[in-house]
Amino acid sequence: MSDSFGEAINSPAGHLAEVLLKRFPESKEDLSADFLARLSILVDSPGRFGFLARVRLAAAIPFLFQRAPGWTKEKLIPMFDWSSSPDAADAWSARKYSSWIGSPELFGLLKSSFLAMFERPDTPGEELRFFADWLGAILLANQKDRTGFPLSPAEARSVLRRAGPRALTSLAHRLATEMEAAKSEEKVERWRTAVAPVFKATWPLDVDLQSPATTFKLVQIISAAGDAFPEAADLIIPFIRPERAQSHTTVYSIASFPEKYYTSSPQQVLDLLVAVIGEAPIGSVFSLNTALTRLRDVAPKLTTTRKFQNLLNAASPHV
């Protein structure tokens, strides 16, 4: 996908489209045939001029569908269709500059093309990550607020399986953000009624899709779980893969967990460390000593376990 949107917003066609967007009537009732005719002349212009106008308006499709649904269905929706539009890649690339996803009805019209994007080998990683975040946002909205977006967890899981770790990282980020946004007293309910159901129904079970690339974000979900920490850890730990030896930034995060995680659930903290570290070289993992010292203080019996001893060998002496 190219960044034709950048070209569009700096072009005369894009400037004209911007003017028309700013002058759009406040309500559908005030929308005149003359105004729609001016929009049509713009997007139907031949050559590069018309193309850039359409690209600029593609980013504004939620707004346009809200104000002029009939015109948008006729003039812009077809632009996103991979099977019939030569401009589909540019339309979807522009779409990531939209300020919002739009209505369930709009999503329904674009759904097949949206899902097809995850299966295309030429879709850049940036687009995969961005639109995978939309998958998470839509599923959470359906789960929490019954918004009625026509997207099932099974459909989302199917495209995530094809898209792989890059898309899964974005989904995990969205779920982590959802948990972080919950107030302390809301954590358990948010976990049980929104984040856990979406994770269970959507996250692929395929062993070969679990990757170190998602580890940090998965631990971020657990970190934000509050009083739901034990439940979150039990559910997510099986999907965590050891970080690459050069990294281990997640260990620092675990070493900084709230005290109540260590005191109430020391076994889960230990299991999480094992999952994140794997079989790291002796003395190679920074911040691990801090986490192990905290575990030793609250659960001394764990120090005699093989898991703890193996981690002790992996810990760097340089804190």
Side-chain angles (χ1 to χ4, degrees):
M1 293 185 185
S2 64
D3 187 23
S4 52
F5 181 79
E7 181 185 354
I9 60 174
N10 292 299
S11 70
H15 293 160
L16 183 53
E18 188 73 31
V19 169
L20 291 175
L21 287 171
K22 290 179 178 178
R23 294 182 178 177
F24 227 93
E26 290 293 328
S27 67
K28 296 177 186 177
E29 291 73 22
D30 297 328
L31 189 60
S32 67
D34 180 64
F35 189 87
L36 290 179
R38 293 171 67 188
L39 275 175
S40 295
I41 290 172
L42 178 64
V43 299
D44 292 339
S45 298
R48 195 71 178 171
F49 187 92
F51 166 75
L52 292 175
R54 293 191 296 274
V55 167
R56 172 61 189 91
L57 293 177
I61 197 169
F63 171 83
L64 289 166
F65 187 76
Q66 183 184 55
R67 298 291 181 87
W71 183 89
T72 305
K73 286 180 185 179
E74 178 187 354
K75 295 293 185 180
L76 291 183
I77 294 292
M79 185 181 181
F80 291 84
D81 189 340
W82 295 101
S83 64
S84 60
S85 170
D87 301 334
D90 300 283
W92 282 109
S93 185
R95 189 76 169 91
K96 69 178 182 285
Y97 296 100
S98 299
S99 58
W100 56 305
I101 295 172
S103 67
E105 184 182 357
L106 173 62
F107 180 79
L109 293 171
L110 295 171
K111 175 183 171 180
S112 61
S113 297
F114 175 77
L115 296 180
M117 177 171 43
F118 290 90
E119 303 182 30
R120 294 180 62 84
D122 58 345
T123 302
E126 180 186 358
E127 267 78 11
L128 281 178
R129 288 187 291 270
F130 181 87
F131 291 114
D133 181 73
W134 277 20
L135 284 175
I138 289 170
L139 293 170
L140 285 168
N142 280 347
Q143 182 68 31
K144 290 193 307 175
D145 305 318
R146 302 295 186 263
T147 48
F149 280 92
L151 177 71
S152 71
E155 289 172 319
R157 175 184 279 178
S158 177
V159 297
L160 286 168
R161 289 180 66 217
R162 291 174 174 81
R166 292 177 298 178
L168 288 172
T169 299
S170 289
L171 174 61
H173 176 76
R174 170 60 67 170
L175 297 178
T177 301
E178 184 68 24
M179 284 306 306
E180 289 171 346
K183 297 178 182 178
S184 178
E185 64 273 15
E186 300 170 343
K187 296 284 191 183
V188 172
E189 181 180 4
R190 185 69 57 86
W191 169 255
R192 292 176 179 172
T193 62
V195 175
V198 169
F199 185 89
K200 290 177 183 177
T202 309
W203 198 268
L205 302 178
D206 313 58
V207 173
D208 59 333
L209 289 178
Q210 314 312 321
S211 161
T214 64
T215 291
F216 183 81
K217 289 300 178 180
L218 290 175
V219 172
Q220 191 177 346
I221 301 173
I222 299 173
S223 176
D227 289 340
F229 173 80
E231 299 175 30
D234 287 344
L235 176 62
I236 293 176
I237 284 174
F239 298 95
I240 290 176
R241 294 296 177 265
E243 281 191 312
R244 296 180 176 86
Q246 306 92 325
S247 180
H248 290 308
T249 54
T250 305
V251 177
Y252 177 81
S253 172
I254 298 171
S256 304
F257 272 179
E259 184 65 20
K260 67 179 179 179
Y261 290 4
Y262 280 84
T263 56
S264 67
S265 309
Q267 184 63 58
Q268 278 96 340
V269 174
L270 179 62
D271 291 342
L272 182 58
L273 286 168
V274 170
V276 169
I277 292 168
E279 298 181 3
I282 293 174
S284 65
V285 185
F286 289 90
S287 299
L288 181 53
N289 258 332
T290 301
L292 294 178
T293 298
R294 295 183 69 185
L295 278 175
R296 184 187 292 114
D297 290 343
V298 299
K301 290 183 179 179
L302 290 179
T303 62
T304 62
T305 64
R306 180 174 295 181
K307 288 181 179 180
F308 190 96
Q309 292 299 316
N310 288 341
L311 291 176
L312 201 60
N313 288 333
S316 168
H318 304 295
V319 186

